[in-house]
Amino acid sequence: MADEKNQTVSVESPQEERMKLPNFLLSVKLKYVKLGYHYLISKAMYLFLIPLFGAASAHLSTISYHDVVHLYENLKFNLVSVTLCSSLMVFLVTLYFMSRPRGVYLVDFACYKPKQDYTCTREIFMHRSELTGTFSDENLAFQKKIIERSGLGQKTYLPPAILSVPPNPCMAEARKEAEEVMFGAIDELLEKTGVKAKDIGILIVNCSLFNPTPSLSAMIVNHYKLRGNIQSYNLGGMGCSAGLISIDLAKQLLQVHPNSYALVVSMENITLNWYFGNNRSMLVSNCLFRMGGSAILLSNKTSDSKRAKYQLIHTVRTHKGADDKSYGCVFQEEDDKKTIGVSLSKDLMSVAGEALKTNITTLGPLVLPMSEQLLFFATLVARKVFKMKIKPYIPDFKLAFEHFCIHAGGRAVLDELEKNLDLSDWHMEPSRMTLYRFGNTSSSSLWYELAYAESKGRIRKGDRTWQIAFGSGFKCNSAVWRALRTVDPLQEINPWMDEIHQFPVHVPKVATIT
């Protein structure tokens, strides 16, 4: 048995300083602020051409008919000038259209809702854990504490292979789970959008821990008979933030493949990744991760902007893998009994906080109003450069976003982010209710959260939504969406629609679990 004293793990709001997210503003590095502005400038160079065209248009509007005739008389005898002017205009117009990025539109998305038979209450979870006969009495008690205080409710889902007595974690069952989740979400998405499978030109699937051969993306190609020249990608081992990595990859591909649809499928597989050992740092994942998945349809077709729900505005990716502590804080390995599991380090909260801080600092210049940027930057320079002892200014991200979708990884991180970003219960509600109703569904949790906001009738035309997720490696990624239309909850099909009236529910805060 692993040394339980050395395997102490917290899943709630920590009381010890080392288990808290660091104060984002007390240790912000200027290089990340610089990175944000560099990103803004590099992605918006084409905007500098707009004032030039505006000035030219304003000047042309003052030219009369006689001016045009006079100009023609002067130019018809000067072929060189005409050629140079024409070439310059063609060059500028071509430069503008070639440098302008294609719009990326989210046509619609779907979240898989498992069958009622897959429901796993806290009592069922503990009963099945006891029947396995592999857990010590102490670790059964440990899991009971975690499951009771984790923020998960009584209606989360586990696959049949884990709920069966005895459990049956095998490759065949894992494939069945993957097919049921992926095909269930994709079928609903194709029905909602009316897009034919043959029209999909890009396919990206992310699943961190289950990577069979043929790949999950090949499963989808085979099942839906997708076309032979499809751009297919399968991302593995990238943790809970892989969903936004997939979105970013799709965005890049849509810039070079005109008139295309991109299908992104985000999920995690539970069947082959249930831990049957007694290492406490590996037992936490059993208590938090649950069955789920999502499918998202993106398009770069201008015609789709009229029916799409959202437009992708920004993606910002942060990778802390160069640091050994960050790299090893979420690690799949064998315990001392050669049982494979995912170990969560005691440094997870501090590592997550550093990654979040870097990502948020980079994102700030892209989204914050200029007034907030000036106050933040002036205070930061005064503290870092001039060593002035003044209170750091905390930007108000609520001025940049109407909605927040924070990865529902666990209650501890949600509590700390709510405090650090000064968010209200209303802003945190989609994340907390997703954790309560569906548990941690890994990379797909962000889409259950957005579906919650839609079901509540919160999404209005022009609203901005911030999705932020983090995962092994260690990575933190953000995506910013702008609503292109008001979403009518009465016309939506999603996993919340038949029970949204029951939410929100009160989930009391609790102390640290050790």
Side-chain angles (χ1 to χ4, degrees), residues 198-339:
K198 291 287 186 180
D199 295 332
I200 297 171
I202 299 168
L203 171 64
I204 303 172
V205 182
N206 67 267
C207 183
S208 187
L209 296 175
F210 181 58
N211 293 284
T213 300
S215 66
L216 297 175
S217 59
M219 279 188 192
I220 295 174
V221 171
N222 176 261
H223 181 79
Y224 291 97
K225 308 305 177 187
L226 301 183
R227 63 198 201 197
N229 65 342
I230 190 168
Q231 301 292 312
S232 177
Y233 300 85
N234 200 95
L235 307 182
M238 304 193 77
C240 299
S241 68
L244 294 185
I245 295 175
S246 296
I247 294 295
D248 182 68
L249 175 58
K251 180 186 77 171
Q252 303 300 330
L253 292 170
L254 287 171
Q255 297 305 311
V256 295
H257 295 281
N259 299 316
S260 297
Y261 284 114
L263 174 62
V264 175
V265 180
S266 295
M267 61 166 291
E268 191 51 82
N269 190 282
I270 305 297
T271 298
L272 279 183
N273 297 289
W274 200 255
Y275 177 63
F276 291 97
N278 280 283
N279 185 318
R280 286 194 175 183
S281 69
M282 297 179 176
L283 281 172
V284 176
S285 59
N286 284 9
C287 302
L288 296 179
F289 283 89
R290 293 296 182 265
M291 188 178 183
S294 60
I296 304 97
L297 186 68
L298 302 175
S299 172
N300 59 10
K301 300 180 181 181
T302 305
S303 59
D304 281 324
S305 63
K306 299 178 181 179
R307 66 165 181 151
K309 284 184 175 180
Y310 307 93
Q311 181 175 2
L312 181 60
I313 307 302
H314 300 294
T315 55
V316 174
R317 293 169 56 179
T318 300
H319 204 307
K320 290 289 188 177
D323 176 69
D324 291 341
K325 186 172 71 172
S326 298
Y327 173 74
C329 71
V330 181
F331 209 85
Q332 187 180 28
E333 58 186 348
E334 295 176 331
D335 64 13
D336 56 352
K337 301 294 185 182
K338 303 301 180 182
T339 303

Side-chain angles (χ1 to χ4, degrees), residues 388-399:
M388 298 175 63
K389 296 182 178 180
I390 58 176
K391 184 179 180 181
Y393 180 74
I394 302 177
D396 187 359
F397 278 88
K398 297 188 294 295
L399 297 176

Side-chain angles (χ1 to χ4, degrees), residues 24 28-29 32-33 36 356-365 376:
F24 295 163
V28 167
K29 295 182 179 179
Y32 296 129
V33 179
L356 285 165
K357 180 182 66 179
T358 303
N359 190 271
I360 289 173
T361 306
T362 305
L363 180 68
F376 169 76

Side-chain angles (χ1 to χ4, degrees), residues 286-444:
N286 284 9
C287 302
L288 296 179
F289 283 89
R290 293 296 182 265
M291 188 178 183
S294 60
I296 304 97
L297 186 68
L298 302 175
S299 172
N300 59 10
K301 300 180 181 181
T302 305
S303 59
D304 281 324
S305 63
K306 299 178 181 179
R307 66 165 181 151
K309 284 184 175 180
Y310 307 93
Q311 181 175 2
L312 181 60
I313 307 302
H314 300 294
T315 55
V316 174
R317 293 169 56 179
T318 300
H319 204 307
K320 290 289 188 177
D323 176 69
D324 291 341
K325 186 172 71 172
S326 298
Y327 173 74
C329 71
V330 181
F331 209 85
Q332 187 180 28
E333 58 186 348
E334 295 176 331
D335 64 13
D336 56 352
K337 301 294 185 182
K338 303 301 180 182
T339 303
I340 296 176
V342 177
S343 175
L344 305 181
S345 167
K346 294 180 182 180
D347 297 319
L348 178 58
M349 290 292 288
S350 61
V351 166
E354 288 298 323
L356 285 165
K357 180 182 66 179
T358 303
N359 190 271
I360 289 173
T361 306
T362 305
L363 180 68
L366 303 176
V367 298
L368 286 171
M370 187 56 66
S371 58
E372 290 293 298
Q373 294 189 48
L374 290 174
L375 287 171
F376 169 76
F377 189 73
T379 306
L380 185 63
V381 171
R383 288 172 54 84
K384 297 290 185 179
V385 178
F386 298 104
K387 307 299 181 182
M388 298 175 63
K389 296 182 178 180
I390 58 176
K391 184 179 180 181
Y393 180 74
I394 302 177
D396 187 359
F397 278 88
K398 297 188 294 295
L399 297 176
F401 307 108
E402 284 74 33
H403 311 285
F404 296 79
C405 294
I406 302 169
H407 168 54
R411 178 184 290 179
V413 174
L414 295 182
D415 288 345
E416 289 297 312
L417 273 173
E418 178 182 6
K419 181 174 64 176
N420 272 277
L421 296 179
D422 192 27
L423 301 179
S424 66
D425 290 340
W426 188 88
H427 291 113
M428 297 298 298
E429 188 179 309
S431 298
R432 292 194 186 282
M433 294 304 100
T434 294
L435 181 64
Y436 179 84
R437 177 62 183 85
F438 294 98
N440 181 350
T441 61
S442 190
S443 57
S444 65

Side-chain angles (χ1 to χ4, degrees), residues 8 12 19 29 89 106 193 210 219 241 254 332 383 392 406 425 450 455 505-506:
T8 302
E12 302 300 332
M19 292 299 293
K29 295 182 179 179
M89 291 299 298
L106 192 160
T193 60
F210 181 58
M219 279 188 192
S241 68
L254 287 171
Q332 187 180 28
R383 288 172 54 84
I406 302 169
D425 290 340
L450 187 56
S455 296
V505 299
H506 176 65

